[in-house]
């Protein structure tokens, strides 16, 4: 049986710990920019798009082909 590792953290912090193309699944719950919590606020839509772009690039880097 393969070992399963589960992370519960800010994905941009955790991605730094993961080697390229080693992950089978990334499950994220992205902020929807609805400003109900402090971590879910951006000055403008460009800030939100920039953040999510970083997340998607890291997903692409760590996910297996």
């Amino acid at each position: 049986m393969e070992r399963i590792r589960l992370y519960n953290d800010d994905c941009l912090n955790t991605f730094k710990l993961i080697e390229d193309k080693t992950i089978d699944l990334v499950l994220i719950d992205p902020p929807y920019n609805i400003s109900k919590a402090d971590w879910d606020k951006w000055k403008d839509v460009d800030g939100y798009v920039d953040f999510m772009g970083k997340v998607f690039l890291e997903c692409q880097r760590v996910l297996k082909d």
Side-chain angles (χ1 to χ4, degrees):
M1 177 180 270
E2 290 187 42
R3 194 169 109 200
I4 295 173
R5 193 174 298 164
L6 178 64
Y7 296 95
N8 182 15
D9 192 9
D10 181 311
C11 63
L12 290 178
N13 292 332
T14 303
F15 277 134
K16 294 175 188 175
L17 307 173
I18 301 171
E19 295 179 33
D20 295 358
K21 304 214 179 286
T22 57
I23 301 298
D24 293 310
L25 172 71
V26 173
L27 178 65
I28 61 172
D29 181 17
Y32 294 101
N33 202 22
I34 56 176
S35 301
K36 288 187 176 182
D38 289 340
W39 56 265
D40 191 18
K41 293 181 183 175
W42 284 268
K43 288 184 179 180
D44 53 33
V45 74
D46 292 332
Y48 178 73
V49 169
D50 180 60
F51 170 76
M52 290 307 301
K54 291 175 186 175
V55 171
F56 294 143
L57 286 173
E58 285 298 303
C59 287
Q60 181 180 19
R61 181 185 67 78
V62 301
L63 285 168
K64 294 177 182 177
D65 290 334

